[in-house]
Amino acid sequence: MTRSSPLVSIAVAALLLSAGARPVQAQHLPDLVTQDVLRVCSDPGNMPFSARKGDGFENKIAQIVADELKVKLRYYWLTQGPGFVRNTLGTGLCDLIIGTSGGEVVQPTNPYYRSAYVLVARKGELPDIKALDDPRLKDRQIGIIAGTPPSNRLSELKLVGERIHAYAPYAFGAERKHQTVAAEVIADLAEKKIDVAILWGPAAGWLAKQSGVAMDVVPLLNESARPPLTFRVSMGVRQNENDWKRSINTVLRKRKADIEKVLREYDVPLLAEEENRPLGAAEE
């Protein structure tokens, strides 16, 4: 947590007195989680992940968690960007983030899916492409989001210069044309302003289908291990809230099939837990 809490201070003092001043790290700090409602921090305009209307796949998964815990679901909305975690989970405004890979403030739960960056092209224009070292990419206009892992891979392959269209990672303000940067990249691909997009798969699959233009979405499963282009996604709780983390892990285990169904409905490319291959529909 990024700020002290009177409740934490009182609890720690009581523990020290009753335990004969054992080291603080040996104590069991209380979870400051609201018990009668699931408080989720989320972006109000980040489809396909989340939206104020509740029609993102993370919204659907949050509802599954709330249903399993038998509590009501409540959101605290904040646009994704620098400081999102610190100003939400870190300040106690919510108790759970639905999609994360961890961080200074965040303690990740067990992963609940694994996915990959993908290459997106208009249908049939790059048949059978499987990797970024395909020679056909050398004369294509490629759209990426600046600072994402594929940027390093493209530099490694010397796919740089005027052929690379690097989009700013965040788009704020009323003047923006699209809800997210990934949506802008897919729109430019549909309008033939670029030839290829390389995006995080959970965003790209749904956006490509919504674009109105037939597209191929190819998970990048044949790249070198560094930089990684596949990632496990967890939920996020505060550091030290281990009872709460265990409760969420129990929900993830019990409702695994329901969560996977939601992810597939939103065209999230799902990978096997350990191997770089698509997750079969019947796999546990």
Side-chain angles (χ1 to χ4, degrees):
M1 296 177 66
T2 58
R3 66 175 184 179
S4 62
S5 165
L7 290 175
V8 172
S9 300
I10 293 167
V12 170
L15 283 167
L16 289 173
L17 287 171
S18 64
R22 288 181 293 166
V24 171
Q25 59 266 29
Q27 309 306 314
H28 178 79
L29 296 178
D31 295 355
L32 301 179
V33 177
T34 303
Q35 299 297 318
D36 59 349
V37 64
L38 177 63
R39 301 187 305 159
V40 172
C41 284
S42 195
D43 188 323
N46 188 28
M47 287 296 289
F49 300 96
S50 60
R52 194 179 294 273
K53 293 190 298 183
D55 51 355
F57 69 77
E58 289 186 352
N59 299 125
K60 308 294 185 185
I61 292 170
Q63 189 61 61
I64 289 172
V65 175
D67 289 346
E68 184 63 31
L69 295 173
K70 297 180 172 55
V71 296
K72 293 182 179 179
L73 176 61
R74 181 185 301 158
Y75 283 100
Y76 180 84
W77 301 108
L78 185 67
T79 300
Q80 285 275 3
F84 175 82
V85 173
R86 183 177 65 253
N87 293 316
T88 55
L89 194 69
T91 58
L93 290 169
C94 64
D95 301 313
L96 189 67
I97 293 175
I98 299 300
T100 185
S101 56
E104 183 179 346
V105 177
V106 177
Q107 177 182 195
T109 65
N110 292 342
Y112 66 97
Y113 74 95
R114 181 168 174 257
S115 194
Y117 276 83
V118 297
L119 181 149
V120 189
R122 291 180 292 273
K123 190 78 174 176
E125 292 192 4
L126 288 169
D128 301 317
I129 191 166
K130 290 182 171 54
L132 294 176
D133 61 1
D134 191 298
R136 290 174 291 178
L137 291 178
K138 292 188 179 297
D139 60 354
R140 304 287 172 143
Q141 300 294 310
I142 302 173
I144 62 170
I145 296 177
T148 55
S151 303
N152 294 333
R153 179 60 176 151
L154 293 176
S155 296
E156 193 177 82
L157 294 170
K158 297 182 169 51
L159 290 169
V160 295
E162 295 181 357
R163 293 188 301 277
I164 301 298
H165 299 254
Y167 294 73
Y170 300 106
F172 301 116
E175 72 281 357
R176 64 180 183 177
K177 293 174 59 179
H178 302 280
Q179 188 181 74
T180 65
V181 178
E184 179 183 356
V185 178
I186 290 294
D188 285 353
L189 179 61
E191 295 169 13
K192 300 188 176 181
K193 294 178 180 178
I194 56 175
D195 301 311
V196 174
I198 302 171
L199 296 169
W200 177 227
W206 184 86
L207 290 168
K209 182 170 283 189
Q210 298 295 312
S211 70
V213 174
M215 295 184 180
D216 292 316
V217 179
V218 182
L220 293 170
L221 306 181
N222 300 301
E223 306 302 318
S224 58
R226 290 289 181 270
L229 296 184
T230 66
F231 295 91
R232 293 175 176 86
V233 178
S234 305
M235 296 187 184
V237 302
R238 280 180 290 273
Q239 296 289 350
N240 299 319
E241 294 192 334
N242 297 317
D243 288 344
W244 178 228
K245 175 182 174 178
R246 282 189 284 271
S247 295
I248 296 300
N249 283 338
T250 298
V251 173
L252 295 178
R253 183 175 64 252
K254 290 177 67 175
R255 302 299 294 269
K256 180 179 179 180
D258 295 326
I259 291 170
E260 182 180 320
K261 180 181 178 184
V262 170
L263 293 169
R264 291 188 184 279
E265 287 172 352
Y266 282 76
D267 297 292
V268 174
L270 297 177
L271 304 186
E273 176 61 25
E274 300 295 340
E275 301 174 63
N276 274 5
R277 61 175 178 81
L279 181 70
E283 289 185 49
E284 294 294 330

